Amino acid sequence: MNPEARIIRTLTLRLIPFLILLYLVAYIDRSAVGFAKLHMNADLGISDLAYGFGAGLFFIGYFIFEVPSNLLLERYGARRWFARILITWGAITVGMSLIQGAYSFYVMRFLLGAAEAGFFPGVLYYITRWYPVRHRGKVLGLFILSQPIALMVTGPLAGALLGLNGLGGLTGWQWLFILIGVPAVLLAWPTLKYLPDTPRDARWLSDSDRQWLSVELEKDRREYGQTEHANPLRTLTDRRVLLLALLYLPGTLSIYGLGLWLPTLVHQFGGSDLATGFISSVPYCFGVIGLLLVPRSSDRLNDRYGHLTVLYVLGAIGLFLSAWLSSPVLQLAALSLVAFCLFSTTAIFWVLPGRFLTGASAAAGIALINSFGNLGGYIGPFGIGALKEYTGSLASGLYFLSAVLATGVVLTLVVYTQLEKKALAGGTPERQLS
């Protein structure tokens, strides 16, 4: 094994499984509300419109606090900041078991988003400090595996926990929030002990390995013209950052819109809560397959925008068919295609910002892009809830998501054209933009 392959393998084995575990817990915490809804709404008198609004408030809190969180991560270090995030989001998830109605649901979802803000973009920034650009596609693909895996696990887990209804005088959805919140708090201490902030803090790297990483990351800074503003907040007005923030929106809107309503859609097929949980996990199996295949193809061909275009087209078709078809089996097949495409777009997209930003500017820029994209986490669930309330059918919400992904195709072409022109004006080879 050559030195480069050995070092990248060492980094990946040491860092990525633990980061996957942390994000797995985060994603279960944020997505379990879709299963709690199956009984919580009736127990507390929460309408579909109110649920969609409250579920989406998570992302408003996320949006407001994301950039400050990433800047504080740069200041205090990843391990301490991630541990803080774990404790607060775990405690608030447990607190979700105490909600009494729509307004307390709104407050707790907003606080959960504020508590978790900065974790996902923080990990994205963390990866830019360890991996050269040419390796980031497949590494991000591995990390983002935690999203579909979490949703695969959440279905059966939530279905089983809902079955605890009545135990200790608590409802099943209360047990659900309690038992998925505790692991986040417990993981704070291992994070403090295990996770190094930078390569120079990693005792399992040799001096020569650290030197190789430093040289390769410096090559990236020169080759891609990476920027680090004296004031990292200037990144928030960087035209490239704003364009990418716009491009990120369709994918996140569709992922969260679908994820928070999928249990309701599957429940309409008929069957128990446990059956709903298992069936809901099927599309996410295809999301895992996509993340194992597509980012590697993107790295091998050094192509980002072409892959994004194809994935958005196929995802839009899949969502349209999931609404148009009447057979549960065919609907599930269409939703599996959608999951395959949506999670792959996330891994490919996140290679782009790290090509031209570094240091605190990368922390601020990644946070802004993710916070803007996560507004889709508000628009998606709320939009579907409003359409279902108005039309009486989830199909209208799926048509809405299909149209959103279709706009993603247009945005991909616009952003590619704009960044291509800028790079050519600065003398950047075309291959670096793909």
Side-chain angles (χ1 to χ4, degrees), residues 39-73:
H39 300 286
M40 177 184 71
N41 282 22
D43 289 349
L44 302 180
I46 298 174
S47 69
D48 284 338
L49 182 62
Y51 167 76
F53 177 73
L57 280 175
F58 172 95
F59 301 98
I60 300 299
Y62 210 106
F63 174 80
I64 294 170
F65 292 98
E66 195 159 358
V67 172
S69 179
N70 245 30
L71 292 176
L72 289 168
L73 181 149

Side-chain angles (χ1 to χ4, degrees), residues 262-427:
L262 182 61
T264 302
L265 177 63
V266 172
H267 200 61
Q268 293 177 359
F269 296 169
S272 66
D273 291 337
L274 189 59
T276 296
F278 276 103
I279 295 171
S280 296
S281 71
V282 171
Y284 301 117
C285 297
F286 289 87
V288 170
I289 294 170
L291 283 167
L292 291 173
L293 298 178
V294 179
R296 292 177 183 273
S297 170
S298 175
D299 277 355
R300 185 176 65 254
L301 299 175
N302 198 20
D303 168 75
R304 315 299 174 191
Y305 295 100
H307 279 68
L308 285 175
T309 301
V310 171
L311 291 168
Y312 276 137
V313 169
L314 292 176
I317 292 172
L319 281 166
F320 180 88
L321 290 176
S322 69
W324 184 63
L325 296 167
S326 57
S327 164
V329 173
L330 294 178
Q331 282 184 298
L332 193 63
L335 291 169
S336 298
L337 172 63
V338 173
F340 178 94
C341 295
L342 287 180
F343 291 105
S344 300
T345 62
T346 304
I348 294 172
F349 172 85
W350 280 114
V351 177
L352 300 175
R355 293 189 307 110
F356 57 81
L357 293 172
T358 189
S361 293
I366 289 171
L368 177 69
I369 292 168
N370 194 59
S371 63
F372 187 82
N374 272 298
L375 285 177
Y378 171 75
I379 298 169
F382 180 62
I384 293 175
L387 287 168
K388 183 177 184 295
E389 189 92 356
Y390 181 73
T391 64
S393 170
L394 268 179
S396 57
L398 296 172
Y399 285 130
F400 163 66
L401 294 183
S402 178
V404 167
L405 282 188
T407 65
V409 178
V410 177
L411 287 172
T412 301
L413 298 175
V414 170
V415 172
Y416 174 75
T417 301
Q418 293 299 312
L419 293 185
E420 174 84 357
K421 287 180 180 178
K422 189 173 182 67
L424 290 176

Side-chain angles (χ1 to χ4, degrees), residues 51-399:
Y51 167 76
F53 177 73
L57 280 175
F58 172 95
F59 301 98
I60 300 299
Y62 210 106
F63 174 80
I64 294 170
F65 292 98
E66 195 159 358
V67 172
S69 179
N70 245 30
L71 292 176
L72 289 168
L73 181 149
E74 169 70 10
R75 179 175 178 179
Y76 293 111
R79 64 185 184 87
R80 284 187 287 178
W81 197 244
F82 287 163
R84 192 283 305 165
I85 291 174
L86 284 161
I87 292 171
T88 51
W89 102 50
I92 291 169
T93 299
V94 172
M96 287 283 293
S97 64
L98 302 176
I99 62 174
Q100 298 295 313
Y103 291 110
S104 55
F105 177 57
Y106 298 159
V107 170
M108 295 302 286
R109 283 294 290 180
F110 176 85
L111 291 177
L112 184 61
E116 196 185 314
F119 181 73
F120 180 70
V123 172
L124 297 177
Y125 169 57
Y126 184 73
I127 287 172
T128 69
R129 304 188 70 180
W130 290 83
Y131 288 91
V133 170
R134 62 184 176 275
H135 293 287
R136 290 178 193 167
K138 56 181 175 290
V139 170
L140 288 168
L142 289 173
F143 169 64
I144 294 169
L145 277 173
S146 48
Q147 291 183 2
I149 289 174
L151 292 166
M152 288 165 57
V153 171
T154 301
L157 176 64
L161 293 178
L162 288 173
L164 298 177
N165 191 52
L167 180 66
L170 299 176
T171 63
W173 60 265
Q174 287 177 308
W175 278 116
L176 174 61
F177 285 128
I178 292 169
L179 294 178
I180 65 172
V182 169
V185 177
L186 297 179
L187 282 167
W189 178 247
T191 300
L192 281 170
K193 297 294 291 182
Y194 179 81
L195 201 66
D197 286 324
T198 65
R200 67 175 174 270
D201 302 313
R203 289 174 292 180
W204 35 265
L205 286 177
S206 67
D207 289 340
S208 60
D209 291 347
R210 294 189 191 95
Q211 179 63 24
W212 181 86
L213 279 173
S214 177
V215 169
E216 293 303 310
L217 292 172
E218 181 58 35
K219 284 181 183 177
D220 282 348
R221 292 187 186 97
R222 294 195 304 268
E223 183 177 356
Y224 292 101
Q226 290 176 343
T227 302
E228 182 168 15
H229 299 290
N231 178 358
L233 292 178
R234 285 187 57 198
T235 310
L236 307 186
T237 60
D238 189 308
R239 176 172 167 271
R240 299 166 299 181
V241 171
L242 297 176
L243 281 169
L244 289 175
L246 188 63
L247 177 59
Y248 189 46
L249 182 60
T252 55
L253 192 156
S254 300
I255 285 175
Y256 290 118
L258 181 64
L260 291 173
W261 282 94
L262 182 61
T264 302
L265 177 63
V266 172
H267 200 61
Q268 293 177 359
F269 296 169
S272 66
D273 291 337
L274 189 59
T276 296
F278 276 103
I279 295 171
S280 296
S281 71
V282 171
Y284 301 117
C285 297
F286 289 87
V288 170
I289 294 170
L291 283 167
L292 291 173
L293 298 178
V294 179
R296 292 177 183 273
S297 170
S298 175
D299 277 355
R300 185 176 65 254
L301 299 175
N302 198 20
D303 168 75
R304 315 299 174 191
Y305 295 100
H307 279 68
L308 285 175
T309 301
V310 171
L311 291 168
Y312 276 137
V313 169
L314 292 176
I317 292 172
L319 281 166
F320 180 88
L321 290 176
S322 69
W324 184 63
L325 296 167
S326 57
S327 164
V329 173
L330 294 178
Q331 282 184 298
L332 193 63
L335 291 169
S336 298
L337 172 63
V338 173
F340 178 94
C341 295
L342 287 180
F343 291 105
S344 300
T345 62
T346 304
I348 294 172
F349 172 85
W350 280 114
V351 177
L352 300 175
R355 293 189 307 110
F356 57 81
L357 293 172
T358 189
S361 293
I366 289 171
L368 177 69
I369 292 168
N370 194 59
S371 63
F372 187 82
N374 272 298
L375 285 177
Y378 171 75
I379 298 169
F382 180 62
I384 293 175
L387 287 168
K388 183 177 184 295
E389 189 92 356
Y390 181 73
T391 64
S393 170
L394 268 179
S396 57
L398 296 172
Y399 285 130

